[in-house]
Amino acid sequence: MRLRPVRAFATACAVACAAACAAMLPACGSSGGTVADVPPADNGGDVPGEVGCTGAKTLVFDVPPGPLATFGESSLVIRYHQGSCPVAGATLACKVAGEGAEVATASVVTGEDGAAVVKAGTTSCVGAAFAIGCCDPADAGVACASVDLTLECNVPEVLVVSARDYHGAHAHVEEAQVLLTKVAGGKPSCAELDPTHLPPATISQKVALPGAVTLTEIAGLHADRQQAWVAVVLGSAKGGPVLAWGCEEFTLECCKKTVREVDLANDLFAAGREAWKVTAAVDLATGLPDAAKRVVSDVGGLLADPGRGLIALACGVEGDGMLRDLCTLCLTDPAHPWSSGLGMTGQDLVPAITKRAAALLTLSCPSGYGNCGTPWWSADAVADAMRGARLGATWTWPNLDAEGAAGPWTGEEDWISVTLPWPDAAAAGKTTDFTVGMDRDGVSVEVERVGLWTVNVKPHATPLAWGELTAHAIEKGLLPALYGAGGDGMPAVDSFEALVGALLGGGRSCLLDGSCCSSFAQSVTSGADPEVSGLPKEAVEQNCLKLATVMAPWLRARLLSADPGPAGVPPAAAAGFTFASLEACAVTDPDKDMVLDGWGTGTDAAAATGTPKDVAPCTLDVAGAVAGEAWTAAAATLTAVPK
C-alpha cells in the first residue's frame, strides 16, 4: 500500500505524543538516542540573568540528508530550544505517520545542545512518502515537529502478473484465477504442479482476461530481500471449471519491479468417468459369405412359415435317411425345398404344422400385439434384424487417477447384451426391440485421447464370434420373445429344439414332459378326421423326433460353423471380432463441468461458434472371419453414456 506524506502532523502528534510519553516517563531519561547526556538544570526555568532563554519553546528537525535507505537505518536530527537556548534532558516521543517506515525507539532524549538523533528505517520495497514526528509530552504547549521523508526505493509496485488473452481450443475462456505461491525448499515448481490438485496459494486473485494482478507489498520481502515465487493462472468460462492453465517461475527482489506474463498455453482435458454403458450398433448381415447368408435365410424362412420351413430344412440334413424320406414324401422338387410344390403327404403335414404354429403364436403373443395367430413378419425379418443389431457392453476404467485426464486409459470391456429390432405387429413400419443378456467378460480395452474432444478406441479382440453371437441372439432372444419366454409356469422356447417341439405340439406344455412329438402324432393321425393320411402314427412321431433332435442341432451347427474354430470347440473359444475406432470419436460434456458425459452422443462442448450441436455416433471398424472368409461390418457405430 503506498504511503502519503503527512503534512499536518503537529496537532495530532502533540496529543498522541503526550499520551505516549506519559506512559513511558518512568523509563525515560538519558537512555538511548541522546546527543549529549547532560542532566537538565534543576532551577525550574530559565537561568537568571541569561539573555535569550526566554520565549517560546520550539522543536525543529534538521533538513534530512536524503531519502531513507532501502536497508539499514538513517539518522534524523531534531533540535529543542527555548529562545536561543537549548533544552537539554527533554524526553521526546517520536512516531511514524503512515506505513513503510519505523523508528528505532519510541522516545529520544535531548543532549546539552538540545539535539537528539531519531533513528529511522524502512520496511517497504516500493517508493513511498511518510512523516516522522516528535513531541514533548511534558509540555503540551510546545508544537510538535515533523519531517516529510521519501524512500530511496522509488518503484511503484513490486510485482505485476499479467494473464494473457486465451487462444486455445476451448470455445470460451473469459476469466482467470491468478495463484501466487511462495517457493520454499525448491517447491512447488511448474514441472511438478498438477492444475487439478494444486497446493494452497499464498495469494489468489480473479481477473477478467486479459488482466493483471498488481502487488505493492509482499509479506517478508523487505526482510528476505529476495524471494522465489510461482505464478499459476487458471482460465475458465464465467463461473465454470478450469479449462486451461499456465505457469511461470520467477524471483522477486525488494525495490525492483518484477513483471511476468503468463500464457494459458495448456488446455485441460475433461476428466473421464470410471463406469460407462456402451452400445455398439453393428450390421451383422450385410456382405456375409454365402454359407452364412444361406443359414440366415433358412432361419428366416422357418420363422415366417414354420410348416414349410421344417420340411425344407429336413431336406438339407445330410446323412439322415428318415429326414430325406420325409422331404421326398412332402415335396415334389426336393432339390428346391423352399419353392417346391407339396406332395400328397406334404399337403396334409404342412397345414397341420402351420395350424399348431398359429396356436403357439396366439398363446405366446407379446403384450399389446393383439391377434398374433399368424406371423406378421416376412422371411427377410431375421436378416433385417441382424442388420440393426445392437450389442451392449460396459466399460470400466479403474486407473483414471493414475492415468490422468489426458490418458491413455486402460480398462475392461464386458459384453452384456444383444438387441434385435423386430417388426411391430401393431404398427406397420415400426419395430420393437428384443434384448437378451450375455456374459462375455474380461476384455482388455485401451483408449487414447487424440484431441480435447476426440478419442480413439484402439484395436482389440473381443469374444464376439459371428456364429455364436447370431445363434445366441436368435435362440435366447428372438425365439423366447415370439413364442414364450417362460416365467408363467411353462418352459421357455429358447432353442431350436424347443421351437420344433412347441410348434408341433401346439404349445409349450408338452416341453415339460417331452411329449411334444407323441402328442403331435396322436393328434394328426387319429380321430374321425385325421389330418395326415398315408403315414402311421409311429412314423409321424419318429419324423417329429428327428426334426427336434437332428435337424434343430444341425441348424445351430450351421450358424456356429461360420466361426473360425475347430469342430467341437466351445463357441467362446472361437476367434471373435476385432473392434477399433474407424475415425476419431467425439466425446462430449453438455453440462460443461469438465467431466465427460458421452461418447458419440450429446452436444459438442467445443463448437467453434459457441453454438452447441449434436455429435454423431462414433464409427467403428468391426472385422473378423465368418465361414472361413475375412469379413468387415458394412456399418458399425458406438455410443456410450455414464453407467
Side-chain angles (χ1 to χ4, degrees), residues 77-158:
V77 178
I78 186 170
R79 301 185 185 278
Y80 196 3
H81 286 80
Q82 183 172 19
S84 60
C85 298
V87 178
T91 299
L92 304 179
C94 301
K95 69 174 185 176
V96 175
E99 298 178 359
E102 60 186 5
V103 290
T105 58
S107 64
V108 293
V109 178
T110 59
E112 291 183 358
D113 59 354
V117 176
V118 179
K119 299 287 188 179
T122 64
T123 59
S124 175
C125 289
V126 295
F130 55 93
I132 292 179
C134 294
C135 301
D136 182 359
D139 192 343
V142 179
C144 297
S146 68
V147 60
D148 292 336
L149 297 169
T150 58
L151 299 183
E152 181 181 70
C153 178
N154 61 4
V155 296
E157 53 264 334
V158 70

Side-chain angles (χ1 to χ4, degrees), residues 410-437:
T410 302
E412 184 173 291
E413 180 179 83
D414 299 325
W415 293 96
I416 59 174
S417 68
V418 56
T419 297
L420 297 180
W422 197 250
D424 192 321
K430 294 186 178 180
T431 59
T432 297
D433 288 339
F434 294 150
T435 300
V436 61

Side-chain angles (χ1 to χ4, degrees), residues 293-322:
K293 191 182 300 181
R294 281 194 298 270
V295 69
V296 171
S297 177
D298 286 350
V299 173
L302 171 63
L303 298 185
D305 187 353
R308 176 177 286 275
L310 287 176
I311 304 303
L313 292 177
C315 297
V317 180
E318 296 181 359
D320 192 289
M322 182 176 289

Side-chain angles (χ1 to χ4, degrees), residues 178-182 198-204:
V178 179
L179 305 176
L180 303 175
T181 305
K182 185 179 178 182
L198 291 172
T202 311
I203 299 168
S204 175

Side-chain angles (χ1 to χ4, degrees), residues 179-208:
L179 305 176
L180 303 175
T181 305
K182 185 179 178 182
V183 175
K187 295 181 179 294
S189 67
C190 290
E192 67 184 17
L193 286 177
D194 178 351
T196 63
H197 299 87
L198 291 172
T202 311
I203 299 168
S204 175
Q205 287 189 27
K206 184 174 287 187
V207 298

Side-chain angles (χ1 to χ4, degrees), residues 307-361:
R308 176 177 286 275
L310 287 176
I311 304 303
L313 292 177
C315 297
V317 180
E318 296 181 359
D320 192 289
M322 182 176 289
L323 289 177
R324 168 54 61 179
D325 290 344
L326 177 64
C327 171
T328 303
L329 286 171
C330 291
L331 301 176
T332 60
D333 184 8
H336 302 90
W338 291 103
S339 59
S340 171
L342 298 177
M344 291 185 60
T345 301
Q347 292 175 21
D348 290 341
L349 190 57
V350 169
I353 297 173
T354 301
K355 174 182 174 181
R356 284 157 178 78
L360 174 64
L361 203 57

